[in-house]
Amino acid sequence: MSCIEIFKSAETPLELATKMVALSQRIWPRDASPEEEARAEAEKARSFDGPADQAPMCYAIVENDEPIAIAYTFARQIETSGGLMTIMALAGVAVDEPYRGKGLGKQIVKAAFGRVDKGLFPFTIFQTGPQNKSFYERLGCASVDNKVVNSLSEMDKDASPFWEDVILRYPATGDWPGGMIDLLGPGY
């Protein structure tokens, strides 16, 4: 089993954070340089004003000073039929191509889900592609069949803010609300 390094996003060393962003950008290309994006994410994390145990976190499996598997979590307030709920957002799960199929994705995601397992959040909700659905279901996730919107969108308040087809939650058990879910912001 590989060692997982866990950091508050605001405190992740810039060199590691930059390398983590570079790994993410190899999978999901973006315009900003990895260092610019890492600095912006650290600044955003420093502005978090919620409970300390819900602060944004980074997870990395590092080999030879290079992250080979990563994930990010952060608190997200959503509106449900039962009122406001603070959930854990899971984002940016990635395993470098040469290391796929070795169980690193499972390790990094289970570490991230640990925040829910400890009771810091009631659920996590996230999006993924159809090719990853069974992977997450084996880790205890279930499909979110609710309509998901962003009522704060300037474009289409009734459109899903997620761009992937599959929306999942963890754990599959628990008192998941029925009705519409409002992310109260963009997808992640």
Side-chain angles (χ1 to χ4, degrees):
M1 180 177 274
S2 301
C3 181
I4 299 174
E5 297 183 32
I6 303 173
F7 298 92
K8 286 188 175 182
S9 296
E11 299 170 2
T12 306
L14 180 60
E15 181 179 0
L16 176 59
T18 300
K19 289 178 179 183
M20 291 173 69
V21 171
L23 168 56
S24 175
Q25 287 185 355
R26 286 195 295 277
I27 298 167
W28 303 288
R30 299 182 289 282
D31 291 333
S33 76
E35 185 173 336
E36 289 172 333
E37 190 174 321
R39 287 182 187 278
E41 287 300 316
E43 186 61 36
K44 183 177 168 185
R46 281 192 284 277
S47 71
F48 176 74
D49 64 355
D53 58 1
Q54 291 184 347
M57 302 293 284
C58 300
Y59 307 78
I61 297 174
V62 179
E63 186 171 285
N64 298 322
D65 293 326
E66 292 293 325
I68 58 173
I70 59 173
Y72 301 91
T73 62
F74 54 94
R76 184 70 180 257
Q77 193 166 66
I78 62 173
E79 179 74 36
T80 74
S81 58
L84 291 175
M85 177 189 294
T86 301
I87 54 97
M88 182 185 84
L90 174 69
V93 176
V95 177
D96 206 4
E97 192 167 353
Y99 299 93
R100 293 180 188 162
K102 300 177 191 272
L104 301 179
K106 178 180 177 181
Q107 287 179 33
I108 207 90
V109 170
K110 285 181 85 170
F113 285 171
R115 298 181 83 188
V116 175
D117 295 337
K118 291 176 187 169
L120 301 177
F121 298 95
F123 294 98
T124 182
I125 180 175
F126 58 97
Q127 64 180 320
T128 191
Q131 72 278 10
N132 299 321
K133 185 178 181 198
S134 64
F135 165 81
Y136 285 107
E137 288 174 336
R138 287 190 303 273
L139 295 177
C141 295
S143 293
V144 171
D145 297 322
N146 313 61
K147 180 176 182 172
V148 178
V149 301
N150 170 13
S151 66
L152 304 179
S153 173
E154 294 180 9
M155 303 293 282
D156 185 351
K157 296 176 185 332
D158 291 322
S160 176
F162 287 132
W163 50 90
E164 291 288 357
D165 297 335
V166 177
I167 303 171
L168 298 172
R169 67 179 167 92
Y170 175 85
T173 58
D175 192 18
W176 181 252
M180 188 169 60
I181 301 293
D182 188 346
L183 283 188
L184 300 173
Y188 47 86

